[in-house]
Amino acid sequence: MAVKNKFKLFALVGISFSVVSLLGHLFVANYSAGEIIQHIPTADGIYQIGQKFRHRKLWGSVQSLEALQPCANPRNVYPVPRDHNGFLYAKIYGGFDHVRSSICDLVAVSRMLNATLIIPEIQESLQSKGISSKFKSFSYVYNEEQFIAALSNDVVILKSLPDNLKRERKMKKYPTFSIRYSASPSFYIKEVLPKLKLSKVVGLLIADGGCLESILPKDMDEYQRLRCRVAFHALQFRPEIRALGNLMVARLRASGRPYLAFHPGLTRDVLAFHGCSELFQDVHTEILQYRRKQMIKHGIIHGNLSMDSMAQKRKGLCPLMPEEVGLLLRAMGYPSDTVIYLAGAETFGGQRTLIPLCAMYPNLVDLTLLCSKKELSILLGSESPIPSHLPNPPPQRPKEQLIREWNRAGPRPRPLPPPPARPFYQHEKEGWYGWIAENDTEPEPSLMDMRVQAHRMIWNAIDYYVSVEADVFFPGFHNDGSGWPDFSSLVMGHRLYQMSASRTFRPDRKTIVNILDKIKDKQYHPKQNWTILVRQHLNDSLGIKGLISAAEKSKPNSFISHPLPECSCRAASKPSEVPNPVIGSGGRILYGDEETCPDWLSRGLQLVVPDSTDMKDESEDLPELEPYFGQQEQDSGDGNSGEMARPSEQDEEMDPED
């Protein structure tokens, strides 16, 4: 009996130690991992929108920037010259971001030369064969009538050259200049203007995303404001794109909740240019290395073919991976059911790179999930079919011929001939990776490749529209002094101009990588609460510190990525609210030199700005739209459907009663 009691006692003690040890491990893991996965904001700063409550630190405006208002009107007398020096036409090469930046520079150059501007030709759409004849090169993305009307007080714009000049242009009688990136105003005055006055017609070839230097002298501020009027007022998308963009924004907010737009910035050219190929594996690395080799050959890069990608990443030159962005958002406190819109028509690496982010935020959607195939095809118009590359089947031989061949085949038994090799069809070789196993050089783009590039212009236009309207924007990569204009930089500049106080993160990737390295091998035992570092850096990037950093890094490459202070005014009701100017190392004012807003704008702001507690629920005025999250939309005719995960009905952002 005593032996049994001892066994029971030993078993009870063992079980007790096991339970205590398990609870201890769970407590340690929960304490450390909880700091890594998600920061839950406190109940301070809750504000109400209709029946919904939002946390101001996650979705509210940046109070330090609320005084900045858009104001790109001319400050001085600025009439359109009556006598022009001639006609200026241009061919613009590149993707969506290059084209948009180049058009802004082109209008400023046209004003500088006192030339009549012919609506530029976007080569990305012209080179594609068989796209809808309904659209010309410019009207494929933008509204021509709006472009001409909005700039009628600045530049004379025509849709095409007069017929007699058009014929002479085809005969190449007029001088053409291939403009290098960020050319100075003196180049146009000394080189282009004399040829324009002499021949009356001059052509420009623009290929690198900009034909005029970003920072102009102080006495040329009116040209900077002209750029803003082009970028933010004249360059409007054609009505079909705007209508679908509004529909997508309404669907994202149909549940009465805000949404965050995220652009990964994982494009092939960016990764190859900065030597980030080793962040990927297998065929991805080979393709990036090939592209980098071509850039070196054409003089775009002056460096080595092989680069230490991790060293480049620690310098802040490589895009943040989607998994890292997910960790940053969780550290900021964004709940797992946050609606995230994935912008960007190209994500190098495909869906595989997005899997970690999708695991953290299941409501990650893009335009293909928000729109039906029919809605997207309407934007493309009627396109001619592309001929099939499938091989023709071998001709069938008559039965009598087969019997004669069999009889002449010789004695039996005999070994059978080896089966013919499986043919590789052309459609198996097309695409971004199909050539890598067969050729040392990338083949010329096929008709389908060129059409996909043209379609990408439209998809980027939609993503741009939705990103500008987003409640929060987070860039995975933006050109903070490291290259040419890119998608995220243009979105950030547009949001800065249109609504300066909107939550637009401007992360310094070098700082972010250093913060992430602190938990790389110590996820469960961090030495410090690293989420404090994340929140401090990202919150600083939203406000004045972020603007000062952008003025030092982004503005020298693209003015419309940081149109301050030339295109803004300050609605300050008290003299004490006007900050002292912040001067950079070169003597240039980085922040605080904005002019006071005119009286009519200040009075209008007082009338339209409501109290935050009385703001109307934006979902009340939205039409009933289908589909939204959790609904299915049937495509008419093809039977396909788009399905999205329904977010939780319970709003997990913050309950003010907690």
Side-chain angles (χ1 to χ4, degrees), residues 513-527:
V513 172
N514 290 334
I515 294 175
L516 291 172
D517 280 346
K518 296 180 182 297
I519 62 163
K520 185 175 181 180
D521 299 321
K522 303 175 182 178
Q523 284 92 340
Y524 295 102
H525 301 283
K527 293 184 178 180

Side-chain angles (χ1 to χ4, degrees), residues 547-563:
L547 293 187
I548 294 174
S549 177
E552 292 178 321
K553 297 179 180 179
S554 298
K555 189 172 181 176
N557 287 288
S558 174
F559 172 75
I560 58 175
S561 298
H562 187 80

Side-chain angles (χ1 to χ4, degrees), residues 258-544:
Y259 72 95
L260 180 147
F262 164 57
H263 182 258
L266 294 172
T267 63
R268 180 184 176 188
D269 285 348
V270 167
L271 294 167
F273 182 86
H274 295 292
C276 307
S277 60
E278 295 176 3
L279 301 180
F280 296 85
Q281 298 177 353
D282 307 328
V283 70
H284 298 81
T285 301
E286 295 183 46
I287 292 176
L288 290 176
Q289 286 294 85
Y290 175 84
R291 180 58 179 155
R292 182 173 176 85
K293 182 179 180 180
Q294 294 300 108
M295 288 182 170
I296 295 175
K297 179 180 178 181
H298 292 94
I300 301 175
I301 299 176
H302 301 283
N304 299 324
L305 177 61
S306 299
M307 299 289 292
D308 186 347
S309 297
M310 292 309 300
Q312 293 292 94
K313 187 175 180 67
R314 292 189 181 95
K315 295 177 183 178
L317 298 177
C318 296
L320 296 173
M321 299 301 288
E323 178 184 8
E324 298 170 336
V325 173
L327 289 174
L328 297 177
L329 295 178
R330 296 301 295 270
M332 287 295 295
Y334 289 96
S336 59
D337 65 344
T338 299
V339 179
I340 299 180
Y341 180 79
L342 180 69
E346 176 188 358
T347 301
F348 192 82
Q351 294 294 322
R352 183 172 65 177
T353 62
L354 299 173
I355 290 176
L357 181 60
C358 290
M360 287 183 272
Y361 291 95
N363 289 332
L364 179 70
V365 298
D366 59 6
L367 62 90
T368 60
L369 289 175
L370 283 177
C371 305
S372 66
K373 291 183 178 179
K374 181 179 179 181
E375 289 172 331
L376 296 177
S377 63
I378 291 175
L379 296 182
L380 304 178
S382 177
E383 298 184 327
S384 60
I386 294 179
S388 175
H389 293 293
L390 294 176
N392 296 324
Q396 293 185 355
R397 292 178 293 178
K399 184 177 181 180
E400 293 77 7
Q401 181 182 355
L402 295 176
I403 294 175
R404 288 195 301 269
E405 291 178 356
W406 176 264
N407 294 331
R408 291 197 303 265
R412 299 165 180 80
R414 61 180 180 274
L416 296 175
R422 175 186 174 274
F424 283 90
Y425 303 129
Q426 183 65 28
H427 70 275
E428 295 180 291
K429 303 176 184 178
E430 293 179 350
W432 62 270
Y433 66 90
W435 57 274
I436 200 74
E438 288 193 349
N439 304 320
D440 294 331
T441 59
E442 186 172 5
E444 293 294 325
S446 63
L447 293 178
M448 178 57 73
D449 293 334
M450 291 190 290
R451 187 171 294 187
V452 168
Q453 290 294 333
H455 293 172
R456 192 170 288 174
M457 292 275 293
I458 296 181
W459 310 147
N460 277 323
I462 296 176
D463 290 343
Y464 182 90
Y465 189 90
V466 176
S467 298
V468 169
E469 296 295 326
D471 299 276
V472 178
F473 180 73
F474 195 103
F477 178 87
H478 63 291
N479 275 333
D480 46 2
S482 55
W484 298 284
D486 68 309
F487 183 94
S488 291
S489 297
L490 298 183
V491 170
M492 295 163 70
H494 199 144
R495 291 171 62 89
L496 178 60
Y497 171 82
Q498 181 173 297
M499 39 188 180
S500 301
S502 63
R503 298 188 73 83
T504 304
F505 289 101
R506 304 174 184 87
D508 183 348
R509 292 187 298 279
K510 182 177 180 180
T511 303
I512 290 295
V513 172
N514 290 334
I515 294 175
L516 291 172
D517 280 346
K518 296 180 182 297
I519 62 163
K520 185 175 181 180
D521 299 321
K522 303 175 182 178
Q523 284 92 340
Y524 295 102
H525 301 283
K527 293 184 178 180
Q528 58 180 324
N529 189 347
W530 74 280
T531 56
I532 295 178
L533 301 177
V534 173
R535 296 196 300 272
Q536 181 179 357
H537 174 72
L538 292 180
N539 286 328
D540 287 345
S541 73
L542 293 169
I544 297 176

Side-chain angles (χ1 to χ4, degrees), residues 209-223:
C211 59
L212 183 63
E213 63 185 12
S214 176
I215 299 178
L216 298 176
K218 185 66 177 177
D219 58 348
M220 300 184 72
D221 281 353
E222 290 299 343
Y223 290 93

